[in-house]
Amino acid sequence: MDLINQIFASYPTGVDLQLSDFTYSLSLQNPDFAMTLTVLLITFLLGFLVYVYSFVLVVREKSAPYPLWMHTFYCAADFMGIWVFLAAYDAVGGFWFFMLGVVGEIVWVGFEIFCLYHAVTTERRALFGENGTLKHAVLVTLAQIAIFFVSLNFLRVELGDVSMFKFWIFTQVIIVCAPGLFWRERGTRMGACWQLVVVLVLVAVMSFNPMGNMWSLISPYFAPENNPWYYVMGAVVFCFALYDVYIYAKLPKKPEVLPSGKKPIF
């Protein structure tokens, strides 16, 4: 029983994620500022790339690498993030990271709206069936965004997550774990590419590396000794990243030339 309690009924004690963690860790006061900033920028860049590949693929190959529910989830989450980072920026009297977060979230929402537009137009038959109408597709999309927006805000509030960083890690979990399952079900490499597969593996490594990830470098709340479940989850997510590699490698190769006359994305 003691082992069960240790595994399932123990929580981080004496430490929590504070806005002051950001203002210290991401300032020159922190002796490890250069490393923290480098890891943060790489992690942000990978976050942009997972959606850059999404809209590039849907434009070139008429198919996106993610199911509809992922687009609506991220649209709701990132729209929420705009206001959370604005509130954090105001709460600390202005700090560059939170404004960077606001700008980043606006860009991400723009990416997601672009992909959702193509989901209800370019991909509508694949996602909603041969008889799926534009009206039906738009209504389903808006309904998903609405339920994700209210439920994710509720989860964030229940976590007491004023910076959204406790919640934000789940966006990393989903972006790595869900695509391979979707590709396997779809049965084709179209709408995905090796470059994206590599990015997903790097997302897993950068997000959960116990030697120093963005989360643990910013706050001791995410240190292995304080939050071991974070790294247990990371090990599982990394296995899913390898699964993405395995599934994509097994799928039939893309044609040399697309019906549009363009070459597919490697």
Side-chain angles (χ1 to χ4, degrees):
M1 190 64 184
D2 288 341
L3 178 60
I4 293 175
N5 285 333
Q6 185 177 359
I7 296 174
F8 294 104
S10 61
Y11 303 89
T13 57
V15 63
D16 201 357
L17 180 62
Q18 307 286 341
L19 294 180
S20 57
D21 292 334
F22 296 86
T23 56
Y24 171 74
S25 298
L26 295 170
S27 72
L28 294 175
Q29 294 176 320
N30 178 12
D32 295 322
F33 170 69
M35 175 182 287
T36 304
L37 179 62
T38 300
V39 171
L40 181 145
L41 292 177
I42 293 172
T43 306
F44 265 57
L45 175 62
L46 292 171
F48 281 113
L49 285 177
V50 296
Y51 253 94
V52 168
Y53 278 112
S54 182
F55 69 69
V56 169
L57 283 161
V58 78
V59 169
R60 176 70 64 86
E61 301 182 3
K62 310 305 178 187
S63 183
Y66 315 127
L68 177 70
W69 68 264
M70 284 183 64
H71 294 311
T72 55
F73 173 90
Y74 284 107
C75 188
D78 290 325
F79 185 71
M80 173 179 71
I82 295 171
W83 311 109
V84 174
F85 283 125
L86 272 175
Y89 181 84
D90 182 64
V92 301
F95 186 64
W96 69 268
F97 170 76
F98 296 122
M99 186 51 63
L100 175 66
V102 172
V103 174
E105 294 286 36
I106 291 172
V107 173
W108 269 310
V109 169
F111 287 169
E112 288 139 13
I113 290 175
F114 181 87
C115 290
L116 285 170
Y117 166 79
H118 279 279
V120 302
T121 55
T122 307
E123 298 184 278
R124 186 168 72 243
R125 289 186 177 180
L127 294 175
F128 296 94
E130 290 293 327
N131 298 320
T133 64
L134 179 61
K135 179 180 179 181
H136 173 72
V138 170
L139 287 175
V140 169
T141 298
L142 293 176
Q144 288 189 17
I145 292 173
I147 189 60
F148 278 134
F149 183 75
V150 295
S151 58
L152 294 178
N153 268 284
F154 174 75
L155 174 62
R156 184 185 60 79
V157 170
E158 291 299 297
L159 290 170
D161 192 5
V162 295
S163 66
M164 214 173 86
F165 248 48
K166 293 179 182 178
F167 160 78
W168 220 7
I169 192 60
F170 293 106
T171 65
Q172 309 296 88
V173 173
I174 291 172
I175 201 67
V176 174
C177 296
L181 300 172
F182 179 59
W183 301 340
R184 182 178 184 274
E185 180 180 335
R186 193 163 59 176
T188 177
R189 287 187 181 183
M190 296 296 291
C193 63
W194 274 118
Q195 298 168 52
L196 175 59
V197 173
V198 172
V199 169
L200 295 179
V201 173
L202 292 176
V203 167
V205 172
M206 293 301 297
S207 300
F208 297 100
N209 172 20
M211 301 300 292
N213 57 75
M214 180 174 72
W215 283 262
S216 65
L217 289 171
I218 288 175
S219 175
Y221 179 82
F222 294 102
E225 62 272 19
N226 295 324
N227 212 329
W229 272 107
Y230 181 91
Y231 298 92
V232 173
M233 178 172 66
V236 174
V237 171
F238 184 70
C239 290
F240 270 92
L242 297 180
Y243 179 76
D244 293 342
V245 176
Y246 169 74
I247 286 297
Y248 191 81
K250 283 189 63 178
L251 291 172
K253 291 183 178 181
K254 297 180 182 181
E256 293 292 328
V257 180
L258 300 171
S260 64
K262 298 180 179 179
K263 290 185 177 181
I265 297 172
F266 172 71

